[in-house]
Amino acid sequence: MANNQTKYSFIAEELKKRIFAKEYPLDKPIPDEMTLAKEFDCSRMTMKKALEVLVLEGLLYRKRGHGTFIIKSALDMDRLNIHSQEVNGFTKLLEGRDVESKIVQFQVTFPDKYVAERLNIDLETPVYDIVRARLVDGEPYVLEHTCMPVALIPGVTQEVLEHSIYTYIRERLNLKIASSYKQIRADKPGQLDFEYLDCSETDPVIEVEQTVYLNNGMAFEYSKSRHRYDKFVFTTVNIARR
């Protein structure tokens, strides 16, 4: 467990690995809270919070009087299933699969007015200007254009970009990623989409524009991610509170 990781988030990740490894049958409830709490040596409240994370991510649902079940459609591995609450980054989202990052552009520059407003910085604050193509099991999935303030996220190198920026932020910089604001839209493909996403002229792309914040409220990332339409599903989970 990472130093800055809570017990319940660690348990949630372990349970997620089991779910995608199909260690639990899909037609039966997963073990109950007490059984799992004993296995993970934690309180029932901690286990309840861990399961709640997976419910909010759309992996589990609770059926009163019957237990907690896996949502079968969430295990569709042909499409990238991004949840409305997702702030873990692309590599973490697809943990266990072969994720490759191709660096298309990496430079330090100054933001334009729009990017500066999204990051709440002035026009003279240096930012990383990063474009990466992300491949999963050898297939193109996403083309990311990301801007980050250099002073807030220091030390980003080509080696970091070839792996996971979010892992670097959490484990090397010891910063906590807390929240994001996303807008999702369909768009026509452009030249970079043709080149790096293997799109045809008639293929739409799904663009996710987002600003991501640390737990101190500072915006550390503004990005636009262009997803292949056939590799992307956006999931939102609404839970009625009684």
Side-chain angles (χ1 to χ4, degrees):
M1 185 170 67
N3 292 334
N4 61 348
Q5 187 176 32
T6 61
K7 178 76 170 180
Y8 74 85
S9 64
F10 169 77
I11 293 171
E13 287 184 9
E14 290 299 308
L15 290 175
K16 184 187 291 188
K17 290 177 185 177
R18 294 183 185 185
I19 289 169
F20 280 100
K22 298 182 180 179
E23 294 184 19
Y24 298 126
L26 297 180
D27 57 345
K28 296 179 181 179
I30 66 170
D32 60 59
E33 286 180 7
M34 289 299 293
T35 300
L36 289 171
K38 184 176 181 180
E39 178 184 351
F40 283 94
D41 190 25
C42 68
S43 68
R44 185 171 181 178
M45 182 59 66
T46 297
M47 182 53 62
K48 184 176 182 179
K49 289 178 69 176
L51 294 175
E52 184 70 14
V53 169
L54 300 184
V55 169
L56 291 172
E57 288 189 4
L59 281 176
L60 299 176
Y61 73 96
R62 292 190 173 102
K63 189 174 181 180
R64 186 180 294 274
H66 293 83
T68 303
F69 294 80
I70 297 168
I71 297 176
K72 297 178 184 179
S73 60
L75 303 185
D76 181 4
M77 297 299 288
D78 292 331
R79 295 190 179 217
L80 173 61
N81 198 335
I82 296 182
H83 306 282
S84 57
Q85 299 88 1
E86 176 62 45
V87 290
N88 286 320
F90 188 81
T91 303
K92 191 68 175 179
L93 182 64
L94 287 165
E95 192 170 35
R97 301 183 69 180
D98 182 17
V99 178
E100 179 185 356
S101 299
K102 288 187 177 180
I103 302 172
V104 179
Q105 175 178 293
F106 178 35
Q107 62 182 352
V108 174
T109 186
F110 296 106
D112 61 26
K113 182 178 179 181
Y114 187 84
V115 172
E117 288 176 350
R118 295 303 177 276
L119 291 173
N120 195 28
I121 57 177
D122 61 48
L123 297 175
E124 296 181 354
T125 300
V127 297
Y128 301 112
D129 188 3
I130 304 161
V131 178
R132 294 189 299 172
R134 315 300 297 277
L135 289 79
V136 181
D137 299 331
E139 290 191 73
Y141 267 55
V142 186
L143 183 65
E144 301 173 343
H145 188 182
T146 304
C147 292
M148 293 181 174
V150 174
L152 189 58
I153 310 295
V156 173
T157 63
Q158 181 168 324
E159 182 181 1
V160 170
L161 296 181
E162 289 174 348
H163 296 87
S164 170
I165 298 178
Y166 277 33
T167 297
Y168 172 78
I169 290 170
R170 288 193 179 98
E171 297 183 5
R172 296 283 296 279
L173 300 182
N174 292 315
L175 298 174
K176 187 173 181 181
I177 300 168
S179 61
S180 65
Y181 173 77
K182 294 183 176 130
Q183 291 182 312
I184 301 172
R185 61 180 70 90
D187 196 10
K188 295 179 180 179
Q191 187 57 46
L192 287 179
D193 301 315
F194 297 143
E195 185 175 353
Y196 292 100
L197 292 181
D198 196 22
C199 293
S200 72
E201 292 185 1
T202 58
D203 287 338
V205 293
I206 305 299
E207 182 178 82
V208 179
E209 180 180 1
Q210 71 172 1
T211 305
V212 192
Y213 300 87
L214 299 173
N215 64 336
N216 59 9
M218 299 184 71
F220 76 92
E221 174 192 320
Y222 169 74
S223 65
K224 285 186 177 180
S225 299
R226 311 270 291 179
H227 297 254
R228 277 179 48 149
Y229 80 96
D230 58 338
K231 300 293 185 182
F232 173 88
V233 173
F234 183 81
T235 300
T236 182
V237 179
N238 298 307
I239 301 174
R241 301 296 182 183
R242 295 176 182 268

